[in-house]
């Protein structure tokens, strides 16, 4: 059995030491603080991500508490919370709109956004998170959806309030804020979807309206759930990944690390990913790591621990941007492999080289501190200087 508070300051700053101990002792152990078993090794995490005897949908899910009705209405239509056949149908329709062509077509937009933000960075020491890491992905999401970029502050506010629901130790204040944000975002999207029906544009919302497969189309609720997921999962993860990446690159050598941006990004995702825990519900009896599980049980898959497994990765605790074999699980796997992974990769492959090309002497001027936001792993602030 493990006892480890996710709020413990030492754990917040370095969860990897705990993961190493758990992996050596387990690798599947009961984590008392979460009231469930957790898998810490790569082999088990990789296998369970693909095992259809487990899934994301909550068995026998009932009505939400009244104060979470708006939040629940969005979550119920999220790809992340569904299983086949609903998941299969919805993902297929979403991919009709969220194509590789549309993602590749964003490259020039991403470059233009990065260039504009880099030109506007302040003088002297400044926090890179709100001035660059946060603004690149939210402006990309706005362009992707087709909503005005001036809505960036609203999108950031809604996203921050909703994703707080997945952090350890949520309370009624967090729940009320998330519910309000979900209601506001849903109301905006509902109106915007109707507007696009009568005035189609070259944006994702128009494509979602037009998406059809075998005569089936997306409902308004499914479109809203998809757009909210793209904002919350896509934007938040990329913000954290960019911040963690800059920290790792400055500690290493940006010029050397970014010779191959694709490999560098994959190594960042392995070495210091933005999401460390992803849970699964058990649907059928299963044996995992010497433990028996049955319907109603829940298992935590420790993505952050799997990426540091020495059984799979040579010198797992070292940042190696030239690493060739890099079968990390930071984007999940199986049916729930992150639908936004290609966009996140493209954003990072552009935003990181452009940052260090513009600021080749970038230095971190204050010791970076990770936020108490587990199971997200992100920097609270990243104070840097260009000289």
């Amino acid at each position: 059995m493990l006892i480890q508070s996710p709020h413990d300051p030492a754990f917040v700053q370095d969860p990897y030491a705990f993961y190493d101990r758990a992996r050596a002792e387990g690798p599947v152990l009961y984590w008392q603080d979460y009231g469930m078993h957790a898998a810490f090794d790569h082999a088990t995490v990789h296998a369970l991500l693909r095992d259809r005897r487990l899934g994301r949908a909550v068995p026998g899910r009932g009505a939400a508490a009244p104060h979470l009705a708006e939040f629940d209405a969005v979550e119920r239509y999220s790809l992340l919370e569904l299983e086949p056949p609903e998941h299969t149908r919805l993902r297929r329709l979403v991919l009709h709109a969220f194509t590789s062509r549309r993602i590749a077509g964003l490259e020039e937009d991403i470059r233009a956004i990065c260039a504009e933000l880099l030109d506007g960075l302040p003088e002297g020491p400044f926090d890179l998170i709100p001035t660059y890491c946060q603004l690149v992905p939210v402006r990309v999401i706005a362009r992707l959806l087709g909503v005005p970029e001036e809505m960036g502050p609203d999108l950031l506010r809604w996203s921050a309030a909703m994703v707080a629901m997945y952090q350890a130790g949520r309370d009624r204040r967090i729940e009320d804020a998330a519910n309000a944000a979900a209601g506001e975002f849903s109301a905006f999207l509902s109106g915007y979807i109707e507007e696009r029906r009568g005035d189609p544009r070259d944006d994702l919302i128009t494509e979602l309206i037009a998406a059809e497969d075998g005569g089936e189309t997306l409902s308004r609720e499914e479109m809203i759930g998809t757009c909210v997921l793209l904002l919350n999962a896509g934007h938040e993860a990329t913000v954290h990944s960019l911040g963690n990446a800059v920290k790792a690159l400055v500690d290493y050598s940006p010029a050397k690390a970014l010779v191959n941006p694709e490999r560098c990004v994959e190594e960042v995702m392995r070495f210091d990913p933005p999401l460390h825990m992803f849970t699964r519900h058990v649907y059928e009896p299963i044996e995992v790591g010497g433990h028996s599980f049955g319907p109603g049980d829940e298992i935590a898959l420790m993505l952050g621990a799997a990426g540091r497994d020495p059984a799979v990765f040579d010198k797992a605790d070292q940042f190696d941007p030239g690493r060739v074999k890099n079968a990390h699980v930071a984007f999940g796997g199986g049916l729930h492999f992150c639908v936004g992974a290609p966009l996140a990769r493209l954003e990072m492959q552009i935003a990181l080289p452009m940052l260090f090309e513009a600021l080749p002497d970038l230095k971190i001027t204050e010791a970076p501190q990770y936020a108490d936001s587990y199971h997200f792993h992100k920097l609270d602030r990243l104070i840097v200087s260009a000289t």
Side-chain angles (χ1 to χ4, degrees):
M1 183 185 347
L2 297 171
I3 299 175
Q4 174 60 69
S5 168
H7 301 294
D8 176 68
F11 174 82
V12 169
Q13 298 309 314
D14 178 20
Y16 299 107
F18 165 71
Y19 296 159
D20 288 344
R21 295 193 300 272
R23 197 188 306 110
E25 185 179 338
V28 178
L29 297 167
Y30 184 79
W31 193 345
Q32 182 171 294
D33 303 77
Y34 277 96
M36 71 177 79
H37 282 79
F40 292 87
D41 66 314
H42 186 279
T44 305
V45 169
H46 182 271
L48 293 183
L49 283 169
R50 291 156 177 78
D51 197 313
R52 298 289 295 277
R53 292 172 294 180
L54 299 89
R56 288 286 302 170
V58 180
R61 181 173 184 165
H67 73 285
L68 286 173
E70 299 281 3
F71 182 84
D72 183 68
V74 170
E75 215 180 35
R76 280 178 182 269
Y77 293 95
S78 170
L79 269 172
L80 198 61
E81 307 301 331
L82 296 172
E83 290 298 316
E86 294 85 358
H87 179 275
T88 306
R89 170 188 163 275
L90 182 55
R91 187 173 181 113
R92 188 170 59 236
L93 285 166
V94 168
L95 290 177
H96 271 285
F98 199 51
T99 61
S100 56
R101 178 188 60 81
R102 174 164 293 282
I103 295 167
L106 287 167
E107 180 172 349
E108 290 309 311
D109 285 312
I110 297 171
R111 292 190 183 280
I113 288 168
C114 291
E116 182 182 335
L117 292 173
L118 290 168
D119 285 344
L121 290 178
E123 297 287 331
F126 63 94
D127 189 349
L128 193 68
I129 302 296
T131 55
Y132 190 69
C133 300
Q134 202 172 65
L135 296 181
V136 171
V138 77
R139 290 182 60 177
V140 171
I141 289 291
R143 291 198 187 185
L144 175 68
L145 295 177
V147 305
E149 287 186 33
E150 296 73 35
M151 288 198 63
D154 286 325
L155 296 177
L156 287 171
R157 178 171 56 84
W158 291 333
S159 179
M162 284 185 276
V163 300
M165 289 286 284
Y166 308 109
Q167 296 172 193
R170 84 185 202 199
D171 54 22
R172 180 59 185 260
R173 178 186 59 82
I174 288 173
E175 292 180 346
D176 287 341
N179 196 63
E184 290 175 25
F185 196 16
S186 295
F188 165 75
L189 286 171
S190 184
Y192 208 75
I193 288 166
E194 285 309 303
E195 187 179 317
R196 281 289 162 266
R197 288 189 193 279
D199 181 21
R201 304 278 181 91
D202 183 23
D203 58 37
L204 183 64
I205 288 178
T206 300
E207 292 288 348
L208 289 172
I209 293 169
E212 184 177 354
D213 187 87
E216 292 188 274
T217 58
L218 290 159
S219 68
R220 182 200 304 251
E221 291 79 12
E222 288 168 340
M223 283 188 267
I224 290 172
T226 297
C227 292
V228 171
L229 177 63
L230 287 173
L231 171 66
N232 291 349
H235 161 261
E236 287 288 329
T238 306
V239 173
H240 310 336
S241 297
L242 284 171
N244 296 356
V246 171
K247 176 181 179 297
L249 288 168
V250 170
D251 289 344
Y252 185 82
S253 166
K256 184 179 177 183
L258 289 165
V259 167
N260 188 320
E262 291 82 6
R263 284 186 186 172
C264 181
V265 166
E266 297 309 305
E267 177 66 352
V268 166
M269 297 304 293
R270 178 201 73 82
F271 180 74
D272 205 20
L275 179 65
H276 277 214
M277 175 194 288
F278 203 41
T279 60
R280 286 288 192 278
H281 297 281
V282 178
Y283 301 146
E284 300 176 26
I286 185 174
E287 293 281 334
V288 181
H291 302 276
S292 298
F293 299 94
D297 290 332
E298 193 172 8
I299 303 175
L301 309 186
M302 307 306 298
L303 309 181
R308 297 284 189 104
D309 190 342
V312 176
F313 303 102
D314 184 45
K315 298 178 180 177
D317 288 331
Q318 292 185 21
F319 179 66
D320 178 8
R323 192 182 298 274
V324 177
K325 294 182 179 180
N326 200 341
H328 66 76
V329 292
F331 289 115
L335 291 177
H336 289 285
F337 181 79
C338 178
V339 72
L343 177 58
R345 284 172 161 138
L346 182 62
E347 289 180 88
M348 293 179 67
Q349 289 166 10
I350 293 171
L352 290 170
M354 287 189 67
L355 171 66
F356 287 102
E357 286 167 12
L359 306 174
D361 297 319
L362 185 74
K363 295 179 178 64
I364 297 175
T365 58
E366 293 182 15
Q369 294 291 305
Y370 289 96
D372 181 5
S373 58
Y374 200 78
H375 42 78
F376 298 109
H377 188 60
K378 64 179 182 178
L379 291 170
D380 234 347
R381 302 194 312 160
L382 186 58
I383 308 301
V384 301
S385 173
T387 56

